[in-house]
Amino acid sequence: MLEMTRESFEELVSQALDRIPPELTRVMDNVAVFVEDEPPADDPELLGLYEGTPLTDRGEWYAGVLPDRISIYMGPTLRSCETAEDVVHEVAVTVIHEVAHHFGIDDKRLHELGWG
């Protein structure tokens, strides 16, 4: 397995978030991004997870709720990559993929767009 410090991995996640165009980050609402060591036990190869209510599904009822949560999983990401460059790429793809879920884009469409 490729070795990387948590601090370095978190920096890659931060850099991936910084690459999102400002016109999109301005409309992101009530969402927090976390780096976790491992995903839930029932899906050990999961690289990222979006949990929440996509912007496209929010209505007038949406108020006073906890933030949506995007989790990026360090363990499976490092296990699936052979080089540091692979990690940079995989983190960027995973972050974009999970942020896209926040905007209401489903897995099928993300795969069509090359962000699968």
Side-chain angles (χ1 to χ4, degrees):
M1 180 171 95
L2 190 64
E3 296 288 326
M4 180 176 284
T5 66
R6 184 178 183 94
E7 181 179 291
S8 295
F9 191 85
E10 288 174 351
E11 180 60 28
L12 292 178
V13 171
S14 179
Q15 290 170 5
L17 288 166
D18 288 345
R19 292 174 50 193
I20 298 171
E23 57 271 17
L24 293 179
T25 58
R26 277 195 294 273
V27 296
M28 290 177 68
D29 183 46
N30 201 30
V31 61
V33 179
F34 298 91
V35 170
E36 302 287 343
D37 291 331
E38 295 293 334
D42 63 337
D43 199 354
E45 298 307 311
L46 190 65
L47 303 182
L49 180 64
Y50 169 76
E51 300 171 285
T53 304
L55 294 175
T56 54
D57 292 345
R58 296 179 185 180
E60 292 180 20
W61 59 269
Y62 188 86
V65 299
L66 291 174
D68 293 1
R69 181 181 179 98
I70 292 174
S71 299
I72 308 299
Y73 300 111
M74 184 173 163
T77 302
L78 295 179
R79 288 191 295 273
S80 71
C81 295
E82 294 183 15
T83 67
E85 292 79 20
D86 292 343
V87 176
V88 170
H89 174 76
E90 194 58 59
V91 166
V93 168
T94 303
V95 167
I96 297 299
H97 182 103
E98 302 310 330
V99 168
H101 286 318
H102 177 67
F103 284 99
I105 302 172
D106 65 16
D107 282 329
K108 181 181 178 202
R109 182 66 180 135
L110 284 168
H111 284 278
E112 290 170 358
L113 294 170
W115 296 101

